[in-house]
Structures are given as C-alpha cells and as structure tokens.
Amino acid sequence: MGQAAAERVAEIVRAAIRERGEARVIFACAPSQDDFLVALVRADLDWSRVAIFHMDEYVGLGAEHPQSFRSYLLAHLLTHIAPPHAVHLIAGEADAQKECERYATLLSSARIDLACMGIGENGHLAFNDPPVADFADPLLIKRVALDLACREQQVHDGCFSTLADVPMHALTLTIPALLGARAISCVVPGERKAHAVRAAVMGEISTACPASILRTHPCATLQIDPAAGHLLD
C-alpha cells in the first residue's frame, strides 16, 4: 500500500516539475502515513523544486511538542530528504485568525499540485469532522473544535496517552482547499478505518462522511490495505 502510493505520488511530483518548474504538495501528518512516507523518501525526486505544506495543526501546541504535526513532518519526511524549495508550516501556537490568513495567502498563491491524505475513523479529511465539514466552505483554513470520535482516534493511534491529553481545537485546511489540488493520494490502513472506507466508497456523498466527497474529484486515488477494505463488497 505505502509503496504503491509513493510510486504514484512520485510520478505526479515529477510531472508537475516538468510542466510547471515546481510541485506544491500538501502532506497529512498521522501514523496512517508512516509506510507511505518511508517509501516516498526513497524515491528519486528533486526536492529542491518542491514546496511542502501540511494540512492541520493542534491549537496551542508549539513546533517542539512531540505530538505536533510539525514534529511529525520533521521526523518522518523533512529529516530524510534534501532541502525542499520551501516548507510552509502551520503555527498552532499563533493567533488563530492571523495564522489562518497567513496560511491561506500561501495556499492561494498558486494551485496545489497534490494533496497526500488519509481518512479518519469518523470519515474526516484533515480535521474536517462531520460536525464542521463544509463542502462549500468559503475559507481555505480555519479553526475547528474536534469531535469526540476524532479525539478518541488520537488515543487509538498512540499519539496521546489519554483523551484528556488531546487538544480540543485545531487549525485545519478545509474541504475545498484539499479538493482544489490537481491530484489527491489517499492512504488508509487498518481495521479501525473499515467503516469509514466503506462509507466513503459506497455511501451517500455527504458531510456525515466527509471523505465521501473524494468521489467527486477527477484525479483522486484511494490506497487501502486488506484490513481497511474488508467491509467493501
């Protein structure tokens, strides 16, 4: 799964560099992306022509916090590749409104070539949980409250020891920001994601399962392992 996703992502990045001189790529930062990133850092890519974004960050966590998504990106990607053309990080500890405005400006300066993502146990994309997901959101990034299922997943994934440790809010790229990418690579491992995968692939396209909107994108690929796909028929 991870190798297949990495091969497709590398092809898209190379094509963007050939066609436009650089690739603008959004990365998810979660354990579901581990195998994909292990394979991607081995790919033959000219990272000096890649601008890197990520899709969410906990409100109140600094970059040095071990559970911040900036720490994840550093540990799983940035320390293993040549210096990229640019790395644009979301500052969860900054003033939320000003940080959203700053990051939206960066995102909108040119079209994103590729968004690399997963699907949450509740069907979320980034931190667009069902209660806050908006398929027509006018914003590119916003502050959101995390729902209970989302916060519980962070404990299931081993990111936090207890539910009380999981932050209540995050800054997240919105659904339109993610779907605005020219291509999408979605990597989803694990049995705990099986119900969300089934809803995304076979259910109604609805914010009840935000990931279902991926079916409307003309260049989105879903890579799953047998455990995540065992409810598909």
Side-chain angles (χ1 to χ4, degrees), residues 33-56:
Q33 306 300 297
D34 289 357
D35 290 342
F36 155 61
L37 290 176
V38 166
L40 185 64
V41 299
R42 295 196 297 258
D44 181 17
L45 289 175
D46 183 357
W47 290 99
S48 70
R49 292 176 176 265
V50 179
I52 291 175
F53 299 80
H54 63 127
M55 57 183 57
D56 41 31

PDB file of all heavy atoms in Angstrom, residues 33-56:
ATOM      1  N   GLN A  33       0.146   7.508   7.652  1.00  0.00           N
ATOM      2  CA  GLN A  33       1.020   7.877   6.541  1.00  0.00           C
ATOM      3  C   GLN A  33       2.432   7.307   6.673  1.00  0.00           C
ATOM      4  O   GLN A  33       3.268   7.517   5.783  1.00  0.00           O
ATOM      5  CB  GLN A  33       1.117   9.407   6.455  1.00  0.00           C
ATOM      6  CG  GLN A  33      -0.231  10.105   6.372  1.00  0.00           C
ATOM      7  CD  GLN A  33      -1.016   9.676   5.156  1.00  0.00           C
ATOM      8  OE1 GLN A  33      -0.602   9.900   4.017  1.00  0.00           O
ATOM      9  NE2 GLN A  33      -2.168   9.059   5.381  1.00  0.00           N
ATOM     10  N   ASP A  34       2.700   6.580   7.751  1.00  0.00           N
ATOM     11  CA  ASP A  34       4.065   6.134   8.023  1.00  0.00           C
ATOM     12  C   ASP A  34       4.670   5.321   6.878  1.00  0.00           C
ATOM     13  O   ASP A  34       5.772   5.623   6.400  1.00  0.00           O
ATOM     14  CB  ASP A  34       4.112   5.304   9.313  1.00  0.00           C
ATOM     15  CG  ASP A  34       3.910   6.134  10.568  1.00  0.00           C
ATOM     16  OD1 ASP A  34       3.784   7.370  10.468  1.00  0.00           O
ATOM     17  OD2 ASP A  34       3.854   5.529  11.660  1.00  0.00           O
ATOM     18  N   ASP A  35       3.974   4.269   6.443  1.00  0.00           N
ATOM     19  CA  ASP A  35       4.534   3.390   5.415  1.00  0.00           C
ATOM     20  C   ASP A  35       4.695   4.123   4.087  1.00  0.00           C
ATOM     21  O   ASP A  35       5.674   3.916   3.364  1.00  0.00           O
ATOM     22  CB  ASP A  35       3.647   2.159   5.230  1.00  0.00           C
ATOM     23  CG  ASP A  35       3.688   1.219   6.414  1.00  0.00           C
ATOM     24  OD1 ASP A  35       4.628   1.320   7.228  1.00  0.00           O
ATOM     25  OD2 ASP A  35       2.771   0.384   6.546  1.00  0.00           O
ATOM     26  N   PHE A  36       3.741   4.956   3.759  1.00  0.00           N
ATOM     27  CA  PHE A  36       3.823   5.762   2.535  1.00  0.00           C
ATOM     28  C   PHE A  36       5.053   6.661   2.566  1.00  0.00           C
ATOM     29  O   PHE A  36       5.820   6.736   1.589  1.00  0.00           O
ATOM     30  CB  PHE A  36       2.543   6.580   2.379  1.00  0.00           C
ATOM     31  CG  PHE A  36       2.687   7.823   1.562  1.00  0.00           C
ATOM     32  CD1 PHE A  36       3.067   7.764   0.228  1.00  0.00           C
ATOM     33  CD2 PHE A  36       2.438   9.066   2.123  1.00  0.00           C
ATOM     34  CE1 PHE A  36       3.202   8.928  -0.530  1.00  0.00           C
ATOM     35  CE2 PHE A  36       2.569  10.224   1.381  1.00  0.00           C
ATOM     36  CZ  PHE A  36       2.955  10.156   0.055  1.00  0.00           C
ATOM     37  N   LEU A  37       5.304   7.343   3.674  1.00  0.00           N
ATOM     38  CA  LEU A  37       6.429   8.268   3.744  1.00  0.00           C
ATOM     39  C   LEU A  37       7.765   7.522   3.761  1.00  0.00           C
ATOM     40  O   LEU A  37       8.754   8.002   3.192  1.00  0.00           O
ATOM     41  CB  LEU A  37       6.293   9.176   4.965  1.00  0.00           C
ATOM     42  CG  LEU A  37       5.149  10.198   4.869  1.00  0.00           C
ATOM     43  CD1 LEU A  37       5.022  10.981   6.171  1.00  0.00           C
ATOM     44  CD2 LEU A  37       5.357  11.142   3.692  1.00  0.00           C
ATOM     45  N   VAL A  38       7.804   6.362   4.398  1.00  0.00           N
ATOM     46  CA  VAL A  38       9.030   5.552   4.359  1.00  0.00           C
ATOM     47  C   VAL A  38       9.402   5.247   2.908  1.00  0.00           C
ATOM     48  O   VAL A  38      10.578   5.320   2.511  1.00  0.00           O
ATOM     49  CB  VAL A  38       8.854   4.245   5.158  1.00  0.00           C
ATOM     50  CG1 VAL A  38       9.965   3.251   4.841  1.00  0.00           C
ATOM     51  CG2 VAL A  38       8.840   4.542   6.651  1.00  0.00           C
ATOM     52  N   ALA A  39       8.410   4.909   2.100  1.00  0.00           N
ATOM     53  CA  ALA A  39       8.666   4.613   0.693  1.00  0.00           C
ATOM     54  C   ALA A  39       8.969   5.878  -0.100  1.00  0.00           C
ATOM     55  O   ALA A  39       9.838   5.878  -0.986  1.00  0.00           O
ATOM     56  CB  ALA A  39       7.470   3.885   0.088  1.00  0.00           C
ATOM     57  N   LEU A  40       8.293   6.969   0.204  1.00  0.00           N
ATOM     58  CA  LEU A  40       8.476   8.191  -0.578  1.00  0.00           C
ATOM     59  C   LEU A  40       9.875   8.767  -0.427  1.00  0.00           C
ATOM     60  O   LEU A  40      10.441   9.267  -1.407  1.00  0.00           O
ATOM     61  CB  LEU A  40       7.431   9.236  -0.164  1.00  0.00           C
ATOM     62  CG  LEU A  40       7.449  10.518  -0.990  1.00  0.00           C
ATOM     63  CD1 LEU A  40       7.079  10.236  -2.448  1.00  0.00           C
ATOM     64  CD2 LEU A  40       6.509  11.563  -0.384  1.00  0.00           C
ATOM     65  N   VAL A  41      10.437   8.724   0.768  1.00  0.00           N
ATOM     66  CA  VAL A  41      11.754   9.332   0.951  1.00  0.00           C
ATOM     67  C   VAL A  41      12.836   8.561   0.190  1.00  0.00           C
ATOM     68  O   VAL A  41      13.942   9.092  -0.017  1.00  0.00           O
ATOM     69  CB  VAL A  41      12.125   9.452   2.443  1.00  0.00           C
ATOM     70  CG1 VAL A  41      11.133  10.331   3.173  1.00  0.00           C
ATOM     71  CG2 VAL A  41      12.241   8.087   3.115  1.00  0.00           C
ATOM     72  N   ARG A  42      12.530   7.345  -0.255  1.00  0.00           N
ATOM     73  CA  ARG A  42      13.484   6.582  -1.063  1.00  0.00           C
ATOM     74  C   ARG A  42      13.354   6.885  -2.555  1.00  0.00           C
ATOM     75  O   ARG A  42      14.185   6.459  -3.352  1.00  0.00           O
ATOM     76  CB  ARG A  42      13.273   5.085  -0.835  1.00  0.00           C
ATOM     77  CG  ARG A  42      13.572   4.600   0.579  1.00  0.00           C
ATOM     78  CD  ARG A  42      13.717   3.092   0.623  1.00  0.00           C
ATOM     79  NE  ARG A  42      12.478   2.417   0.256  1.00  0.00           N
ATOM     80  CZ  ARG A  42      11.635   1.861   1.130  1.00  0.00           C
ATOM     81  NH1 ARG A  42      11.913   1.902   2.427  1.00  0.00           N
ATOM     82  NH2 ARG A  42      10.532   1.262   0.733  1.00  0.00           N
ATOM     83  N   ALA A  43      12.299   7.615  -2.923  1.00  0.00           N
ATOM     84  CA  ALA A  43      12.058   7.902  -4.334  1.00  0.00           C
ATOM     85  C   ALA A  43      13.071   8.914  -4.863  1.00  0.00           C
ATOM     86  O   ALA A  43      13.606   9.748  -4.127  1.00  0.00           O
ATOM     87  CB  ALA A  43      10.645   8.438  -4.517  1.00  0.00           C
ATOM     88  N   ASP A  44      13.317   8.826  -6.148  1.00  0.00           N
ATOM     89  CA  ASP A  44      14.242   9.746  -6.814  1.00  0.00           C
ATOM     90  C   ASP A  44      13.477  11.014  -7.193  1.00  0.00           C
ATOM     91  O   ASP A  44      12.844  11.083  -8.242  1.00  0.00           O
ATOM     92  CB  ASP A  44      14.831   9.081  -8.062  1.00  0.00           C
ATOM     93  CG  ASP A  44      15.826   9.977  -8.782  1.00  0.00           C
ATOM     94  OD1 ASP A  44      16.301  10.945  -8.161  1.00  0.00           O
ATOM     95  OD2 ASP A  44      16.107   9.714  -9.974  1.00  0.00           O
ATOM     96  N   LEU A  45      13.531  12.012  -6.310  1.00  0.00           N
ATOM     97  CA  LEU A  45      12.808  13.258  -6.517  1.00  0.00           C
ATOM     98  C   LEU A  45      13.738  14.447  -6.321  1.00  0.00           C
ATOM     99  O   LEU A  45      14.623  14.422  -5.448  1.00  0.00           O
ATOM    100  CB  LEU A  45      11.638  13.377  -5.543  1.00  0.00           C
ATOM    101  CG  LEU A  45      10.451  12.448  -5.774  1.00  0.00           C
ATOM    102  CD1 LEU A  45       9.441  12.601  -4.646  1.00  0.00           C
ATOM    103  CD2 LEU A  45       9.795  12.722  -7.116  1.00  0.00           C
ATOM    104  N   ASP A  46      13.521  15.482  -7.090  1.00  0.00           N
ATOM    105  CA  ASP A  46      14.267  16.724  -6.924  1.00  0.00           C
ATOM    106  C   ASP A  46      13.517  17.597  -5.925  1.00  0.00           C
ATOM    107  O   ASP A  46      12.687  18.424  -6.291  1.00  0.00           O
ATOM    108  CB  ASP A  46      14.413  17.436  -8.271  1.00  0.00           C
ATOM    109  CG  ASP A  46      15.253  18.706  -8.167  1.00  0.00           C
ATOM    110  OD1 ASP A  46      15.678  19.055  -7.036  1.00  0.00           O
ATOM    111  OD2 ASP A  46      15.469  19.352  -9.209  1.00  0.00           O
ATOM    112  N   TRP A  47      13.804  17.381  -4.656  1.00  0.00           N
ATOM    113  CA  TRP A  47      13.082  18.096  -3.599  1.00  0.00           C
ATOM    114  C   TRP A  47      13.352  19.592  -3.628  1.00  0.00           C
ATOM    115  O   TRP A  47      12.556  20.372  -3.084  1.00  0.00           O
ATOM    116  CB  TRP A  47      13.439  17.513  -2.239  1.00  0.00           C
ATOM    117  CG  TRP A  47      12.872  16.148  -2.026  1.00  0.00           C
ATOM    118  CD1 TRP A  47      13.519  14.952  -2.171  1.00  0.00           C
ATOM    119  CD2 TRP A  47      11.523  15.819  -1.664  1.00  0.00           C
ATOM    120  NE1 TRP A  47      12.663  13.906  -1.920  1.00  0.00           N
ATOM    121  CE2 TRP A  47      11.433  14.398  -1.601  1.00  0.00           C
ATOM    122  CE3 TRP A  47      10.388  16.580  -1.386  1.00  0.00           C
ATOM    123  CZ2 TRP A  47      10.252  13.744  -1.272  1.00  0.00           C
ATOM    124  CZ3 TRP A  47       9.204  15.932  -1.050  1.00  0.00           C
ATOM    125  CH2 TRP A  47       9.148  14.526  -0.999  1.00  0.00           C
ATOM    126  N   SER A  48      14.425  20.021  -4.281  1.00  0.00           N
ATOM    127  CA  SER A  48      14.695  21.457  -4.363  1.00  0.00           C
ATOM    128  C   SER A  48      13.660  22.186  -5.206  1.00  0.00           C
ATOM    129  O   SER A  48      13.628  23.421  -5.228  1.00  0.00           O
ATOM    130  CB  SER A  48      16.096  21.700  -4.947  1.00  0.00           C
ATOM    131  OG  SER A  48      16.144  21.352  -6.326  1.00  0.00           O
ATOM    132  N   ARG A  49      12.799  21.423  -5.875  1.00  0.00           N
ATOM    133  CA  ARG A  49      11.727  22.019  -6.680  1.00  0.00           C
ATOM    134  C   ARG A  49      10.342  21.722  -6.087  1.00  0.00           C
ATOM    135  O   ARG A  49       9.338  21.834  -6.789  1.00  0.00           O
ATOM    136  CB  ARG A  49      11.806  21.499  -8.118  1.00  0.00           C
ATOM    137  CG  ARG A  49      13.041  21.983  -8.868  1.00  0.00           C
ATOM    138  CD  ARG A  49      13.108  21.358 -10.247  1.00  0.00           C
ATOM    139  NE  ARG A  49      14.233  21.872 -11.014  1.00  0.00           N
ATOM    140  CZ  ARG A  49      14.163  22.884 -11.878  1.00  0.00           C
ATOM    141  NH1 ARG A  49      13.004  23.498 -12.066  1.00  0.00           N
ATOM    142  NH2 ARG A  49      15.221  23.277 -12.542  1.00  0.00           N
ATOM    143  N   VAL A  50      10.318  21.351  -4.818  1.00  0.00           N
ATOM    144  CA  VAL A  50       9.058  21.002  -4.170  1.00  0.00           C
ATOM    145  C   VAL A  50       8.785  21.970  -3.018  1.00  0.00           C
ATOM    146  O   VAL A  50       9.650  22.187  -2.163  1.00  0.00           O
ATOM    147  CB  VAL A  50       9.084  19.552  -3.643  1.00  0.00           C
ATOM    148  CG1 VAL A  50       7.765  19.218  -2.946  1.00  0.00           C
ATOM    149  CG2 VAL A  50       9.362  18.576  -4.781  1.00  0.00           C
ATOM    150  N   ALA A  51       7.591  22.547  -3.008  1.00  0.00           N
ATOM    151  CA  ALA A  51       7.118  23.351  -1.876  1.00  0.00           C
ATOM    152  C   ALA A  51       6.174  22.484  -1.048  1.00  0.00           C
ATOM    153  O   ALA A  51       5.208  21.915  -1.573  1.00  0.00           O
ATOM    154  CB  ALA A  51       6.408  24.604  -2.368  1.00  0.00           C
ATOM    155  N   ILE A  52       6.460  22.370   0.240  1.00  0.00           N
ATOM    156  CA  ILE A  52       5.745  21.459   1.125  1.00  0.00           C
ATOM    157  C   ILE A  52       4.813  22.237   2.063  1.00  0.00           C
ATOM    158  O   ILE A  52       5.214  23.219   2.693  1.00  0.00           O
ATOM    159  CB  ILE A  52       6.744  20.624   1.946  1.00  0.00           C
ATOM    160  CG1 ILE A  52       7.482  19.647   1.020  1.00  0.00           C
ATOM    161  CG2 ILE A  52       6.049  19.868   3.079  1.00  0.00           C
ATOM    162  CD1 ILE A  52       8.578  18.864   1.707  1.00  0.00           C
ATOM    163  N   PHE A  53       3.582  21.765   2.138  1.00  0.00           N
ATOM    164  CA  PHE A  53       2.576  22.263   3.079  1.00  0.00           C
ATOM    165  C   PHE A  53       2.107  21.080   3.930  1.00  0.00           C
ATOM    166  O   PHE A  53       2.315  19.926   3.570  1.00  0.00           O
ATOM    167  CB  PHE A  53       1.362  22.836   2.332  1.00  0.00           C
ATOM    168  CG  PHE A  53       1.661  23.990   1.437  1.00  0.00           C
ATOM    169  CD1 PHE A  53       2.201  23.790   0.165  1.00  0.00           C
ATOM    170  CD2 PHE A  53       1.373  25.284   1.827  1.00  0.00           C
ATOM    171  CE1 PHE A  53       2.464  24.854  -0.683  1.00  0.00           C
ATOM    172  CE2 PHE A  53       1.636  26.359   0.985  1.00  0.00           C
ATOM    173  CZ  PHE A  53       2.181  26.142  -0.270  1.00  0.00           C
ATOM    174  N   HIS A  54       1.452  21.358   5.040  1.00  0.00           N
ATOM    175  CA  HIS A  54       0.743  20.290   5.739  1.00  0.00           C
ATOM    176  C   HIS A  54      -0.674  20.753   6.030  1.00  0.00           C
ATOM    177  O   HIS A  54      -1.014  21.921   5.816  1.00  0.00           O
ATOM    178  CB  HIS A  54       1.474  19.805   6.990  1.00  0.00           C
ATOM    179  CG  HIS A  54       1.661  20.813   8.074  1.00  0.00           C
ATOM    180  ND1 HIS A  54       1.282  20.606   9.370  1.00  0.00           N
ATOM    181  CD2 HIS A  54       2.225  22.047   8.061  1.00  0.00           C
ATOM    182  CE1 HIS A  54       1.592  21.649  10.122  1.00  0.00           C
ATOM    183  NE2 HIS A  54       2.161  22.541   9.344  1.00  0.00           N
ATOM    184  N   MET A  55      -1.536  19.830   6.472  1.00  0.00           N
ATOM    185  CA  MET A  55      -2.956  20.142   6.412  1.00  0.00           C
ATOM    186  C   MET A  55      -3.616  20.498   7.727  1.00  0.00           C
ATOM    187  O   MET A  55      -4.770  20.933   7.731  1.00  0.00           O
ATOM    188  CB  MET A  55      -3.729  19.017   5.729  1.00  0.00           C
ATOM    189  CG  MET A  55      -3.612  17.648   6.329  1.00  0.00           C
ATOM    190  SD  MET A  55      -4.537  16.416   5.325  1.00  0.00           S
ATOM    191  CE  MET A  55      -3.783  16.596   3.709  1.00  0.00           C
ATOM    192  N   ASP A  56      -2.924  20.369   8.841  1.00  0.00           N
ATOM    193  CA  ASP A  56      -3.557  20.745  10.097  1.00  0.00           C
ATOM    194  C   ASP A  56      -2.525  20.835  11.214  1.00  0.00           C
ATOM    195  O   ASP A  56      -1.397  20.369  11.071  1.00  0.00           O
ATOM    196  CB  ASP A  56      -4.678  19.780  10.498  1.00  0.00           C
ATOM    197  CG  ASP A  56      -4.345  18.308  10.237  1.00  0.00           C
ATOM    198  OD1 ASP A  56      -3.155  17.947  10.310  1.00  0.00           O
ATOM    199  OD2 ASP A  56      -5.261  17.533   9.960  1.00  0.00           O
TER     200      ASP A  56
END
